Amino acid sequence: MNELMIGNYAIARGFVEAGLEIAAAYPGTPSSEILPGIVEFSKRENAEIHCEWSVNERVAYEVAYGAALYGKKAACMMKQVGLNVAFPAFYNFKHHEIKGSFVIVSCDDPGPQSSQTEQDTRMLCTFMDVTCFDPSSPKEAADVAYFALRLSFETKRPIVIRPTHRVSHSREAVPLYRPGKRRVRLKEGLISKGKTAKLGIVASGMSFSVAIDVLTELNLIRMIPVYKVLRVHPLDTKVKEFAQSLQKVLILEETDAVIEAKLNDSKRVYGRLNGFLSGAGELTYDVIKEAITSLCRDSGIEVQNEIDYALEDLSKTINIVPRPPKLCSGCPHRACFYAMREAFPEAIFPGDIGCYTLGIPLGAVDTVVDMGGSVSLASGFYNVFSKENRNIPILASLGDSTFFHACLPAIYDARKKNKKFILVILDNGTTAMTGMQPTPQTGITAKGEKSRSISIEATLRALGIENIRIVDPYDIPFVINTIKEAHHHLQKGEGPFAIISRRECLLLSKRRFEVKIDLEEVCTGCKRCIRYFDCPSLEFDEKEKKVKINRDLCVQCGNCLYVCPAKRKRLDSL
């Protein structure tokens, strides 16, 4: 029986069929759906699998690793930058033999599409001498997960699976088997023999799947030989033999030049290392098609179906209004960011990773480095400003999940050293950007069961933060006054000063608002609401020179009524 599913669920299915016993993860796109998939399939198969959302990737890694040391079949899941958080454990684990099995899934994000940076997990595995698989489709990802968990148990060695976001989120019909009965068909090696020795292709991951599509479309599938790499480390010696049998070899891999570097043959190899392909970014269909066509032309190989630019030219005639990423209409973070900037426009705003990174266009986020970086950077800014006797307000912002993930040591350190800055915790009750996973404060487990809730304000007090205010971000004047009060306190009192901006995420909330939004009636065309509030519902009509409300997007929260100078004047006069 087959079932249509995304790659992350396919990985989960493979694990459950292989007898997984312990699963731990921290949510991060593109890896977030693997743990929910394990929960779902374990229920279907009546399998006793312990599943947990850990507070961060290092904890997830160590929880699974500890279970594997004891003899259990364990796995942990994260996105590629999350592996940096788990790196201390990742670096040291190879010195200890496991008794069970241990598989790490680190999902890479070429592009990047939902990460601050690109990173290639395969490169780390090569440095660390850890076996690494690079699946090319959801179906193969299921087989690899099943195979890797059992192989790790046999060899007593940890194994890494590195899917990219296209594998994690594309859909394919995946065969289902009873636990322990999956028939794995791992494909690696010479997939297409080809007739010519002028040009060949070595490809791994999703790049292999795209290359096969392109060769088929160009009627070259029987002409150009293709070598598929599934196990990137250790690399099969046959790959080098294949490359040496050809005049030119195109290497298609994401993101870094890992296979290309291992081949170490600059005379005949074309890829990212020798500059033929861009050194960064996703290898999309267009990029691969252009690369194959170009090398065929240079090698004297006839291409019957050249690139057709008609569709591309046609797309240029379609008038699509560019829409950069924005906070949702009615998002409570937007109201809080507006209040922060309104209170102290001249302040410096260290930000953090999450939905709240989108505070950048609102002018309330100046820096985004890594999870938890907002607090440490705020401490650094305070050190500089205080030494130079400069009274510049510092407003650091972070989310509720990030608070528990990476901020606690930095907050304790700042409190111990009396760093005077305002810590704004944007608490929307969930890990919104990665799919609404529960935070420690919700008291909900990965299986949806009730557990102990950990309070943000109680944690702050335990870390020595005495000045804590809880505000509703929709009450913008009150938030502004609270921020000013906090800054005034910091002139003589101790720091940091914590403000918890608490309101439920609009995606989670069942509440609906019925505020009459009539900005059009009073709009003078100043665009202040667009420049400083940046709500997707606000659109400027160039013909009438005034702001219009997109009723399909507006949730009628009414926050824009405060932002509009004309409307606020009317409200103040009531």
Side-chain angles (χ1 to χ4, degrees), residues 517-547:
I517 311 296
D518 53 357
L519 286 182
E520 293 103 322
E521 298 176 5
V522 297
C523 181
T524 61
C526 73
K527 293 187 179 180
R528 178 180 170 80
C529 59
I530 290 179
R531 285 201 304 272
Y532 297 120
F533 206 60
D534 200 34
C535 178
S537 308
L538 301 173
E539 299 174 353
F540 190 76
D541 189 319
E542 293 292 344
K543 290 184 179 179
E544 298 188 24
K545 300 296 180 188
K546 61 169 52 179
V547 169

Side-chain angles (χ1 to χ4, degrees), residues 217-218 289 293 297 302-309:
E217 182 181 330
L218 297 177
K289 190 172 183 179
T293 305
R297 192 182 300 120
E302 183 182 356
V303 180
Q304 297 178 9
N305 186 5
E306 291 277 1
I307 297 175
D308 184 1
Y309 291 101

Side-chain angles (χ1 to χ4, degrees), residues 346-410:
E346 74 282 9
I348 189 163
F349 302 100
D352 223 300
I353 309 292
C355 290
Y356 26 91
T357 301
L358 298 173
I360 293 174
L362 294 164
V365 170
D366 290 326
T367 64
V368 177
V369 179
D370 57 4
M371 288 190 75
S374 58
V375 183
S376 304
L377 262 65
S379 289
F381 288 131
Y382 172 74
N383 288 343
V384 175
F385 298 159
S386 60
K387 193 171 183 178
E388 296 178 353
N389 291 321
R390 299 172 68 190
N391 186 21
I392 300 176
I394 304 168
L395 277 74
S397 60
L398 57 134
D400 43 352
S401 184
T402 303
F403 172 80
F404 291 106
H405 177 283
C407 294
L408 303 187

Side-chain angles (χ1 to χ4, degrees), residues 326-361:
K326 292 185 178 184
L327 294 167
C328 302
S329 295
C331 176
H333 296 349
R334 175 181 287 102
C336 186
F337 278 134
Y338 179 82
M340 289 165 60
R341 192 184 182 284
E342 188 79 354
F344 293 108
E346 74 282 9
I348 189 163
F349 302 100
D352 223 300
I353 309 292
C355 290
Y356 26 91
T357 301
L358 298 173
I360 293 174

Side-chain angles (χ1 to χ4, degrees), residues 2 72 110 119 127 148 251 266 295 331 337 389 418 441 446 454 512 518 525 547 565:
N2 292 341
K72 296 295 183 183
Q119 183 174 306
F127 288 149
I251 310 295
S266 58
L295 277 180
C331 176
F337 278 134
N389 291 321
N418 192 26
Q441 189 175 217
I454 308 295
R512 292 293 176 265
D518 53 357
V547 169

Side-chain angles (χ1 to χ4, degrees), residues 197-503:
K198 295 179 179 177
L199 174 64
I201 295 174
V202 174
S204 73
M206 182 53 76
S207 299
F208 165 78
S209 299
V210 177
I212 293 297
D213 286 348
V214 170
L215 291 174
T216 303
E217 182 181 330
L218 297 177
N219 294 320
L220 293 171
I221 193 67
R222 296 180 186 278
M223 175 65 70
I224 297 177
V226 180
Y227 194 103
K228 179 177 185 294
V229 176
L230 176 59
R231 192 189 62 190
V232 177
H233 186 82
L235 190 65
D236 196 318
T237 55
K238 293 180 180 177
V239 183
K240 200 160 192 173
E241 295 173 9
F242 171 76
Q244 290 173 343
S245 69
L246 301 159
Q247 295 177 17
K248 293 180 181 177
V249 181
L250 174 62
I251 310 295
L252 298 173
E253 56 181 330
E254 291 172 326
T255 304
D256 291 325
V258 177
I259 299 173
E260 188 179 351
K262 288 184 177 184
L263 291 179
N264 191 26
D265 187 349
S266 58
K267 291 183 179 178
R268 71 187 77 207
V269 171
Y270 290 74
R272 302 190 123 154
L273 204 59
N274 81 332
F276 180 72
L277 295 171
S278 171
E282 187 180 6
L283 293 182
T284 62
Y285 176 87
D286 290 341
V287 171
I288 291 178
K289 190 172 183 179
E290 175 75 40
I292 292 175
T293 305
S294 173
L295 277 180
C296 282
R297 192 182 300 120
D298 294 345
S299 304
I301 301 172
E302 183 182 356
V303 180
Q304 297 178 9
N305 186 5
E306 291 277 1
I307 297 175
D308 184 1
Y309 291 101
L311 184 61
E312 185 178 337
D313 293 340
L314 180 63
S315 66
K316 294 176 182 176
T317 65
I318 302 173
N319 184 24
I320 300 176
V321 179
R323 176 171 287 174
K326 292 185 178 184
L327 294 167
C328 302
S329 295
C331 176
H333 296 349
R334 175 181 287 102
C336 186
F337 278 134
Y338 179 82
M340 289 165 60
R341 192 184 182 284
E342 188 79 354
F344 293 108
E346 74 282 9
I348 189 163
F349 302 100
D352 223 300
I353 309 292
C355 290
Y356 26 91
T357 301
L358 298 173
I360 293 174
L362 294 164
V365 170
D366 290 326
T367 64
V368 177
V369 179
D370 57 4
M371 288 190 75
S374 58
V375 183
S376 304
L377 262 65
S379 289
F381 288 131
Y382 172 74
N383 288 343
V384 175
F385 298 159
S386 60
K387 193 171 183 178
E388 296 178 353
N389 291 321
R390 299 172 68 190
N391 186 21
I392 300 176
I394 304 168
L395 277 74
S397 60
L398 57 134
D400 43 352
S401 184
T402 303
F403 172 80
F404 291 106
H405 177 283
C407 294
L408 303 187
I411 292 173
Y412 170 73
D413 192 67
R415 176 64 190 96
K416 187 178 179 182
K417 295 163 185 169
N418 192 26
K419 304 293 179 70
K420 296 183 179 181
F421 59 86
I422 300 171
L423 184 66
V424 182
I425 302 170
L426 302 161
D427 177 16
N428 61 3
T430 187
T431 315
M433 181 164 266
T434 53
M436 319 303 285
Q437 293 81 12
T439 70
Q441 189 175 217
T442 63
I444 303 295
T445 69
K447 292 187 175 182
E449 299 164 348
K450 287 188 177 180
S451 180
R452 181 172 182 175
S453 170
I454 308 295
S455 159
I456 290 177
E457 44 268 46
T459 304
L460 284 169
R461 291 191 187 96
L463 294 173
I465 305 295
E466 298 164 354
N467 296 294
I468 304 171
R469 299 288 186 274
I470 300 174
V471 299
D472 179 355
Y474 273 20
D475 191 345
I476 294 176
F478 180 68
V479 179
I480 293 173
N481 290 334
T482 303
I483 292 172
K484 290 181 176 178
E485 175 200 341
H487 181 66
H488 178 74
H489 167 86
L490 290 174
Q491 305 309 303
K492 296 181 180 179
E494 295 182 326
F497 195 111
I499 297 175
I500 303 173
S501 173
R502 180 168 289 158
R503 180 173 271 265

Side-chain angles (χ1 to χ4, degrees), residues 39-91:
V39 171
E40 180 177 329
F41 290 126
S42 67
K43 289 179 180 176
R44 286 199 212 174
E45 301 297 338
N46 291 318
E48 291 292 331
I49 302 176
H50 174 82
C51 299
E52 66 176 54
W53 288 119
S54 300
V55 73
N56 62 34
E57 294 85 353
R58 178 174 173 175
V59 174
Y61 189 102
E62 292 169 347
V63 165
Y65 184 42
L69 284 174
Y70 186 74
K72 296 295 183 183
K73 293 179 178 176
C76 65
M77 286 69 67
M78 60 199 70
K79 67 183 299 182
Q80 90 279 11
V81 290
L83 190 59
N84 298 336
V85 180
F87 193 75
F90 185 62
Y91 186 77

